[in-house]
Amino acid sequence: MITTRRELIKAGAGSLIVASALGPSITFGMMPMHHKSRMLPPSKKPRVVIVGGGWAGVTTAKHLKKKLRDRVEVVLIEKRKIFMSCPVSNVWLGGLVEMDFLMHDFQTPASKYGYTFVNATVTEINRHKRRVYTNQGYVDYDYIVLAPGIRYNYEAWFGKDREMARICATSFPSAFIPGAEHVALKRKIENFEEGTFVLVVPPPPHRCPPAPYERAAMIARVFKKNGVRGKLIILDPKKEIKPKGKGFKSAYEQLYKGLIEYVPNARIKEVDPIKKVIKTTAGDFRFDDGNLNPPHQAGDLVWLTGLVNPKTGWCDVDPLTLQSKKDPRVFVAGDSASVKGFPKSGDMAHNHSQNMLVNALVAIISGKDPYSAVRAPTNTCYSMVNGDPKEAIVINVLYDIDLKKKAPKKKKVNVDNKRSKALATATFEWAKALYRDMFS
Ligand SMILES: Cc1cc2nc3c(=O)[nH]c(=O)nc-3n(C[C@H](O)[C@H](O)[C@H](O)COP(=O)(O)OP(=O)(O)OC[C@H]3O[C@@H](n4cnc5c(N)ncnc54)[C@H](O)[C@@H]3O)c2cc1C
C-alpha cells in the first residue's frame, strides 16, 4: 500500500486523487502523467479492481473490503468527482427535496473501509494481461468488477446520424444518467408555460421500470402548481403502465386530471428533434418541449471489453455469482448485467452486489464454493406520486435461490398501489438507509 507522496510518485501517479485507509483523500497537483504508466505498485494480495462508483460499485467496494479486510486489495475507479443519486431525483424534479439530499462523496467510505479510490476514467481493459488503463495510468488486477451503469442508444432512433443524436440529446436531455441533464430538465419543467410536453418511455429492459411514470407525476405536480396551460403526453411502447400501474393511473386521474395524457402501444418510428415531431405506432405527436428517453444499453465501458451480448445490448452473467460467462476473472454488477427477473434498479444493484457478487467473490478468493455462499436478494422500489401532501406507492419483490437451476427465482411480489403519506416517509427512509450503507 502506498503510504507517502514519494511512493505514489514512484508508482507513477500524476494528477490522481487517492483515498485509502490511511486517511483523507490527497490530490497530487498537476504532474504530467502518461496513461500507459503504472498507477499503483504491484499488490501482494489479490487485487480486485471495481470500475464505476455507482450503486453497484460503491456497495461492492465496501462490503468486499469489510468481509476480507487485509486479505484483499480493493481499488474503486470512478470518473466523476461526486456521486449523484438517480433514485429520488424525480422527487427533486418535483421540488420536494433539495439537491443536497442526492449528493455524496467517494472519499468518506474509501478512507473508512480502507479501499483505494481513484478518480479517473477507464479507457481500455486488457483482459489477457488483466490490466485496466485509465486517463491517469494503468492498474493490474486479479479480478475485475465492471459496474459502469448504462448508455443511451440514440442509434436506435437516428442510425449513424450523430448530429441528430447530438441535437436530440442537447435539446431534450434524457436525465437517466445522473448529472447536468437533470439540471437542464428541471429548468425546462419549471419554465414551461403552455403547450404539449412529451415524455417518451424507453422500451424494456431499461433503467428503473417505474421511473418514467414517477417522473410524469412529479412533472405534472410542477405544472399544476405553476398553472401551466397545456398537458404532459406520456408515449409508452408498452400496452400498459408497469409496474404499479393501478397506483400511477389513479394518481394521474385523481390528482392531475386533464394534465396527463397516457398513450400506450406507442413504439417509436421516427423522432425529429428539430421539427419537434415524434412518429409512433399509436400516431404522430407534435410537441413544444419534452423529455425524450432513447433505449438503454449496458454502459460504454463494457462494450470495450467484448463482453456485451450484441443481440440484447447487456452482459450475460452467471445469474447467481454475476461472473461473466466469457471470462471468470470478470464480474458485472448493476444495470449493465442481465439477470432474468432482476429489474435495473439502485436497490437491486445494491442488493445483488452485496448478497450475491461479494459473497461469491469472497468464496472464490478463499478457495470455497461460490454458489453456496450467495444469498437471495430483494428489491424495493418506491415512487412518489403526490407532493401536496407527499404520497408514494411501492413494489417489493422477494427472491429465492434455486441451487439446482443455479438461478434466482421470484418468491413473492408485494405491491401497495394505495398512495399514502406513510409510504412517502418510507421513501426517504429507504434512501437514507442506502446512502448510509454506501457512503458513511
Ligand atoms: C430518474 C430515475 C429514478 C430512479 N429511481 C430509483 C428508485 O427510486 N429506486 C431504485 O432502486 N432505483 C432507481 N433508479 C435506478 C438506479 O439509478 C440505477 O438502477 C442504478 O444507478 C444502477 O447502478 P449502477 O451502479 O449499475 O450504475 P450507476 O449508478 O449509473 O453507476 C455507474 C458509474 O460508473 C461510472 N463510470 C462509467 N464509465 C466509467 C469509466 N469508463 N471509468 C470510470 N467510471 C465510469 C459512472 O460515472 C457512474 O458513476 C432510478 C433511475 C432513474 C434514472
Side-chain angles (χ1 to χ4, degrees), residues 15 174 242 266 333:
S15 56
S174 172
K242 229 174 156 185

Side-chain angles (χ1 to χ4, degrees), residues 48-65 74-78 83-84 87 106 115 145-150 207 322 331-337 343-358 361 434 437-439:
V48 180
V49 172
I50 300 161
V51 185
W55 286 73
V58 171
T59 304
T60 303
K62 169 185 165 177
H63 289 283
L64 191 59
K65 192 67 190 162
V74 175
V75 180
L76 175 65
I77 308 178
E78 164 58 46
F83 175 95
M84 179 186 164
F106 295 108
Y115 59 84
V145 178
L146 303 174
I150 59 157
R207 165 169 280 186
L322 301 181
F331 292 74
V332 185
D335 288 355
S336 281
K344 296 187 184 302
S345 79
D347 197 59
M348 177 50 88
H350 180 267
N351 255 282
H352 72 208
S353 299
Q354 183 178 351
N355 295 312
M356 301 168 81
L357 192 158
V358 166
L361 197 45
L434 268 79
D437 184 63
M438 291 157 63
F439 295 104

Side-chain angles (χ1 to χ4, degrees), residues 19-41:
S20 73
L22 301 162
S25 60
I26 338 149
T27 307
F28 290 92
M30 296 298 291
M31 287 173 282
M33 173 85 207
H34 193 268
H35 80 285
K36 297 253 157 141
S37 56
R38 197 168 69 196
M39 199 157 43
L40 299 173

Side-chain angles (χ1 to χ4, degrees), residues 15 25 30 74 80 86 93 100 118 135 157-158 183-184 208 237 244 249 259 270 315 327 368 383 388 394 412 418 434:
S15 56
S25 60
M30 296 298 291
V74 175
R80 291 167 193 260
C86 260
L93 279 179
D100 193 41
V118 178
N135 60 335
W157 288 357
F158 302 111
V183 180
C208 197
K244 296 178 263 188
K249 231 175 135 218
L259 266 177
E270 204 181 310
C315 293
D327 183 341
K368 295 183 182 154
S383 299
D388 318 283
V394 70
K412 195 157 188 250
K418 199 167 171 298
L434 268 79

Side-chain angles (χ1 to χ4, degrees), residues 406-420:
K406 290 211 167 76
K409 60 174 184 203
K410 277 186 192 171
K411 187 163 81 174
K412 195 157 188 250
V413 180
N414 306 299
V415 185
D416 193 345
N417 277 314
K418 199 167 171 298
R419 61 178 185 273
S420 69

Side-chain angles (χ1 to χ4, degrees), residues 51-57 77-80 86-90 120-122 147-149 175-176 178 182 207-208 211 214-215 301 333-336 344-349 380-382 430:
V51 185
W55 286 73
I77 308 178
E78 164 58 46
K79 64 182 176 184
R80 291 167 193 260
C86 260
V88 196
S89 68
N90 285 330
T121 301
V122 172
F176 263 72
H182 280 79
R207 165 169 280 186
C208 197
E214 180 190 53
R215 181 172 284 178
L301 176 81
D335 288 355
S336 281
K344 296 187 184 302
S345 79
D347 197 59
M348 177 50 88
T380 304
C381 194
Y382 295 92
W430 167 83

